């Protein structure tokens, strides 16, 4: 969602504010702005649209200052516009905010009744007005005025706040949304995540839930929700500015698709013992042999990873596993067994719906295991154990390498669970493990066939509607393929279980609706091929994604085929994710859409 940067320095900060905002573009945004203090007064520059518009505005109307805040906004309250863009300010306070102030309306009404006037439609403005009221009317000092205001706010927020007349003072606060402190040689930074601060600093402190921090010159004082001084651990970030460049690729998404053999290899090395030639997970605080039921929850692409994980856990480890979309899970108020475990999956580790699902599961006495790409994230910190996906920074909004590394972790987890429960023989465990270890090489082979995927994607780019079909563990890959196409090409697409086609979607079949059939040659191939025949008989144009044997048996009925390497069905979901990603990518490029920053989408969704 929104991106935040704050800098307190002994030198001018504007250039670094802009560079940090560029690193936050991946989060998704529709306007941007900065504010500095110059000669004690707040100076603001804001612009609707891309960051380049703000840069142009600053060129025409420059600002200076040794303290400043910046923001990329993803609209929640109020249309994307310069007026609604952050920072929001009064004569005394400037604020940037990530999250949602849920009780902004009664607070606004209360302040308006006291004669306070508002200029925007946003929830954030109430924070600036409330702190200003505490300063002006109540006569409080900035620290007290802010703490008093924070206690009135409900919802999720990460805040960075400056005060006119206080050249070296900045206050930050977090509740529900992440905020990180960074330390330079002569600077202190606030940022929404570590990427915002790379390469400014690698020395970080992650604020805990309810923390707020007062930065005065180079002095940092962290308090908890009740105002008591606390200490938080210093960490060294491994993220560098070089890690977030595009390199030789046109888009971050293209680069990240091609990074998958390497990052899957990195992830496997953390989950596999070459000495014993077996899966070897980090020690977990749960007895896998005694778990009666797993529950997994996530959002978007990560939810489809959970769906694949359900097939693996139930088929291989023989443990029932419920899956739920995180934004719905806790409202179902599901009863959960006392000997159950909860798996939450998130790239950022900050997705608010997934975090709230985790907290509900904790209230039900579940052991929490998270699968995350950011080990310092809120979800990782609130879990009993965390399994990391070593995907590295994923900048493209549409998830690619994070998804496949999530699948790898869930696959290893299923093997480990099956071994511990004696659900499979040692021979079967070795076979599955060897199949998993082969994945990076098979992915590299698949990527070598991207020219064929580019030509097939040209067909999709001409369509207004596309269907994706799959059976078994290929069903969630079909749904993921449809999601990718929707996200970045804006073509309407839906993924279905292949057997469900005849229960409704078949009514949509005609020569203008391409149907992507995800069909590795496995024990379900003949049934999927039967569905392919049914759609072709009704004039449908099928795109068959299968291996040589599958194409030999059913390829003549398809308008187009994409040949995949032969693989063990166990790892087919990982391998078949690649053509889903490349078809969407090349279709979006053909249509000329903004691949890395598709409209209306955000990378890290920290509002409900």
């Amino acid at each position: 969602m929104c991106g935040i940067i704050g800098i307190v320095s002994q030198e001018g900060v504007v250039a670094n504010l802009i560079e940090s905002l560029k690193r936050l573009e991946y989060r998704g945004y529709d306007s941007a702005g900065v504010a500095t203090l110059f000669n004690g007064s707040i100076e603001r520059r804001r612009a609707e649209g891309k960051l380049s518009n703000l840069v142009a505005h600053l060129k025409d109307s420059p600002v200076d200052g040794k303290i400043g805040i910046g923001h990329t906004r993803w609209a929640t309250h109020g249309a994307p516009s310069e007026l609604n863009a952050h920072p929001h300010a009064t004569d005394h306070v400037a604020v940037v905010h990530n999250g949602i102030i849920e009780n902004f309306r009664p607070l606004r009404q209360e302040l308006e009744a006291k004669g306070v006037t508002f200029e925007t439609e946003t929830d954030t403005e109430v924070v600036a007005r409330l702190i200003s009221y505490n300063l002006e009317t109540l006569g409080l000092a900035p620290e007290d005025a802010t703490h008093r205001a924070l206690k009135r706010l409900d919802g999720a927020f990460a805040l960075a706040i400056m005060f006119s007349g206080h050249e070296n003072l900045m206050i930050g606060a977090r509740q529900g949304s992440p905020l990180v402190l960074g330390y330079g040689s002569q600077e202190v930074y606030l940022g929404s995540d570590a990427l915002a601060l790379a390469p400014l600093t690698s020395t970080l402190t992650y604020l805990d839930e309810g923390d707020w921090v007062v930065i005065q010159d180079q002095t940092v004082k962290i308090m908890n929700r009740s105002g008591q001084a606390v200490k938080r651990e210093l960490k060294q970030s491994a993220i560098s500015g070089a890690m977030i460049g595009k390199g030789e690729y046109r888009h971050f998404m293209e680069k990240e698709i091609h990074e998958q053999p390497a990052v899957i290899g990195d992830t496997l090395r953390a989950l596999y013992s070459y000495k014993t030639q077996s899966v070897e997970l980090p020690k977990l605080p749960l007895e896998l042999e005694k778990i009666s039921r797993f529950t997994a929850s996530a959002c978007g692409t990560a939810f489809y990873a959970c769906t694949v994980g359900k097939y693996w856990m139930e088929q291989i480890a023989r443990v029932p596993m419920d899956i739920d979309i995180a934004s719905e899970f806790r409202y179902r108020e599901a009863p959960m067994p006392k000997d159950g475990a909860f798996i939450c999956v998130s790239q950022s580790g900050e997705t608010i719906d997934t975090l709230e699902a985790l907290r509900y599961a904790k209230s039900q006495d579940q052991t929490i295991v998270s699968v995350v790409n950011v080990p310092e994230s809120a979800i990782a910190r609130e879990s009993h154990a965390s399994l990391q996906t070593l995907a590295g920074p994923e900048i493209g909004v549409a998830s690619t390498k994070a998804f496949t590394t999530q699948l790898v972790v869930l696959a290893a987890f299923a093997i480990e669970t099956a071994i511990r429960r004696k659900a499979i023989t040692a021979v079967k465990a070795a076979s599955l493990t060897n199949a998993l270890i082969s994945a990076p090489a098979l992915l590299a082979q698949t990527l070598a066939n991207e020219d064929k995927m580019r030509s097939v994607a040209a067909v999709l780019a001409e369509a207004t509607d596309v269907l994706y079909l799959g059976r078994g563990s290929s069903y969630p890959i079909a749904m993921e393929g449809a999601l990718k196409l929707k996200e970045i090409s804006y073509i309407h697409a839906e993924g279905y279980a292949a057997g469900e086609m005849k229960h409704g979607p078949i009514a949509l079949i005609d020569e203008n609706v391409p149907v992507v059939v995800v069909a590795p040659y496995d024990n379900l191939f003949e049934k999927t091929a039967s569905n392919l025949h049914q759609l072709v008989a009704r004039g449908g144009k099928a795109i068959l994604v299968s291996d040589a044997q599958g194409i030999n048996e059913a390829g003549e009925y398809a308008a187009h085929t994409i040949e995949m390497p032969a693989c063990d069905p166990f790892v087919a979901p990982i391998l078949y994710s690649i053509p889903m990603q490349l078809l969407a990518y090349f279709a979006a490029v053909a249509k000329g859409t903004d691949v890395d920053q598709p409209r209306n989408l955000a990378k890290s969704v920290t509002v409900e």
Side-chain angles (χ1 to χ4, degrees):
M1 304 292 281
C2 307
I4 288 175
I5 179 67
I7 305 176
V8 179
S9 179
Q10 296 181 21
E11 300 178 348
V13 298
V14 175
N16 280 337
L17 288 174
I18 294 299
E19 286 305 309
S20 295
L21 292 181
K22 287 179 180 177
R23 287 190 290 277
L24 289 168
E25 286 187 289
Y26 79 99
R27 295 171 71 95
Y29 71 106
D30 43 52
S31 60
V34 296
T36 64
L37 285 187
F38 188 68
N39 292 331
S41 298
I42 296 168
E43 292 282 343
R44 271 192 305 171
R45 302 292 184 269
R46 299 176 293 171
E48 182 182 350
K50 293 298 183 185
L51 193 56
S52 56
N53 296 338
L54 175 62
V55 172
H57 188 15
L58 284 166
K59 186 176 181 180
D60 293 337
S61 181
V63 295
D64 198 3
K66 296 179 181 179
I67 178 172
I69 53 179
H71 191 267
T72 52
R73 177 182 187 242
W74 188 82
T76 55
H77 295 80
S81 67
E82 183 174 340
L83 180 65
N84 288 328
H86 296 215
H88 289 293
T90 68
D91 290 341
H92 303 280
V93 175
V95 175
V96 290
H97 167 220
N98 179 19
I100 286 182
I101 306 302
E102 293 179 353
N103 63 333
F104 85 98
R105 201 171 301 280
L107 288 174
R108 178 168 177 154
Q109 291 169 349
E110 175 189 320
L111 289 169
E112 286 176 330
K114 295 175 179 177
V116 176
T117 58
F118 285 75
E119 298 175 350
T120 77
E121 305 168 82
T122 70
D123 57 327
T124 304
E125 189 182 0
V126 78
V127 180
R129 299 290 173 188
L130 184 57
I131 294 173
S132 282
Y133 180 84
N134 292 343
L135 289 167
E136 295 177 67
T137 307
L138 303 183
L140 299 178
E143 186 174 323
D144 296 327
T146 301
H147 189 211
R148 184 183 179 97
L150 292 176
K151 290 189 286 188
R152 303 282 318 272
L153 303 180
D154 294 333
F157 54 80
L159 299 166
I161 309 160
M162 295 189 319
F163 303 84
S164 60
H166 296 267
E167 292 283 355
N168 300 305
L169 174 66
M170 184 177 293
I171 295 179
R174 69 148 296 186
Q175 176 177 295
S177 295
L179 194 64
V180 60
L181 272 166
Y183 305 89
S185 59
Q186 295 183 317
E187 303 85 20
V188 181
Y189 307 97
L190 285 173
S192 343
D193 58 34
L195 278 177
L197 306 184
L200 298 174
T201 182
S202 60
T203 305
L204 308 175
T205 294
Y206 292 84
L207 296 181
D208 281 0
E209 184 75 359
D211 282 355
W212 56 293
V213 57
V214 177
I215 303 166
Q216 184 83 52
D217 296 313
Q218 305 302 301
T219 302
V220 173
K221 181 172 64 173
I222 302 174
M223 276 83 61
N224 62 17
R225 199 188 310 270
S226 42
Q228 296 172 320
V230 292
K231 291 187 179 297
R232 301 296 181 217
E233 185 180 356
L234 279 177
K235 293 180 177 287
Q236 292 297 314
S237 171
I239 297 173
S240 71
M243 295 172 72
I244 56 175
K246 293 178 189 173
E248 63 186 16
Y249 296 98
R250 181 175 175 182
H251 299 98
F252 282 111
M253 183 178 179
E254 182 186 19
K255 171 178 175 277
E256 289 157 7
I257 289 172
H258 283 266
E259 287 175 341
Q260 287 173 107
V263 297
I264 284 175
D266 291 342
T267 301
L268 281 169
R269 276 189 285 277
L271 302 170
Y272 176 78
S273 168
Y274 284 90
K275 182 178 180 180
T276 62
Q277 295 191 333
S278 62
V279 168
E280 197 169 282
L281 299 184
K283 186 173 177 60
L284 299 173
L286 72 167
E287 297 181 79
L288 291 173
E289 48 277 282
K290 294 183 179 179
I291 297 296
S292 66
R293 179 176 293 272
F294 285 99
T295 304
S297 193
C299 301
T301 288
F303 174 73
Y304 297 140
C306 291
T307 310
V308 176
K310 176 181 173 68
Y311 282 94
W312 286 333
M313 193 64 75
E314 294 187 343
Q315 290 175 346
I316 297 167
R318 307 304 296 159
V319 189
M321 180 164 158
D322 296 328
I323 54 171
D324 256 295
I325 294 170
S327 58
E328 290 292 327
F329 171 65
R330 71 185 188 278
Y331 300 119
R332 209 161 45 80
E333 299 182 5
M336 305 180 78
K338 296 299 181 185
D339 53 356
F342 183 81
I343 303 169
C344 55
V345 182
S346 170
Q347 188 283 136
S348 68
E350 302 289 352
T351 306
I352 190 64
D353 288 315
T354 308
L355 185 56
E356 291 298 337
L358 178 159
R359 289 166 178 165
Y360 175 81
K362 255 189 174 178
S363 75
Q364 299 293 302
D365 298 323
Q366 302 297 286
T367 301
I368 312 297
V369 179
S370 59
V371 179
V372 293
N373 197 39
V374 183
E376 303 88 358
S377 61
I379 286 175
R381 293 198 307 271
E382 294 192 29
S383 299
H384 297 109
S386 182
L387 298 173
Q388 191 179 354
T389 57
L390 300 177
E394 187 179 63
I395 307 302
V397 166
S399 183
T400 53
K401 62 178 181 173
F403 176 62
T404 50
T405 52
Q406 287 164 358
L407 291 178
V408 166
V409 170
L410 292 170
F413 191 47
I415 293 173
E416 174 82 358
T417 304
I419 292 170
R420 295 268 290 274
R421 299 174 74 91
K422 297 182 171 55
I424 55 176
T425 65
V427 172
K428 181 64 173 177
S431 173
L432 294 174
T433 302
N434 288 336
L436 192 56
I437 294 300
S438 73
L442 291 172
L443 263 69
Q445 283 182 247
T446 305
L447 287 166
N449 195 26
E450 68 173 17
D451 285 344
K452 180 60 183 290
M453 297 178 216
R454 183 187 287 108
S455 66
V456 174
V459 176
L460 300 184
E462 297 297 320
T464 54
D465 302 277
V466 180
L467 298 181
Y468 287 70
L469 302 179
R471 279 182 182 267
S473 59
S474 294
Y475 166 40
I477 301 307
M479 292 192 289
E480 168 62 8
L483 177 62
K484 283 289 159 284
L485 192 68
K486 279 184 283 198
E487 283 181 313
I488 62 172
S489 73
Y490 316 143
I491 297 168
H492 173 251
E494 298 296 335
Y496 287 96
E500 284 296 295
M501 183 189 68
K502 55 189 174 291
H503 298 293
I506 200 167
L508 301 174
I509 300 297
D510 64 28
E511 62 182 9
N512 298 314
V513 180
V515 182
V516 179
V517 182
V518 185
Y521 196 83
D522 56 19
N523 64 329
L524 298 176
F525 178 81
E526 294 301 335
K527 293 184 182 299
T528 307
S530 175
N531 299 129
L532 185 152
H533 296 154
Q534 292 164 20
L535 71 90
V536 170
R538 287 156 178 82
K541 302 298 183 185
I543 298 167
L544 176 62
V545 186
S546 189
D547 53 32
Q549 193 167 357
I551 289 173
N552 183 57
E553 290 196 17
E556 64 181 291
Y557 300 99
H560 305 276
T561 61
I562 295 173
E563 185 174 334
M564 300 290 290
C567 68
D568 189 300
F570 176 56
V571 296
I574 302 169
L575 190 61
Y576 280 65
S577 299
I578 301 299
M580 300 302 103
Q581 296 167 2
L582 285 172
L583 287 174
Y585 173 73
F586 288 128
V589 170
K591 292 194 69 178
T593 62
D594 190 339
V595 172
D596 287 331
Q597 297 170 32
R599 68 190 182 199
N600 302 331
L601 294 181
K603 184 67 178 174
S604 178
V605 183
T606 54
V607 296
E608 292 189 68

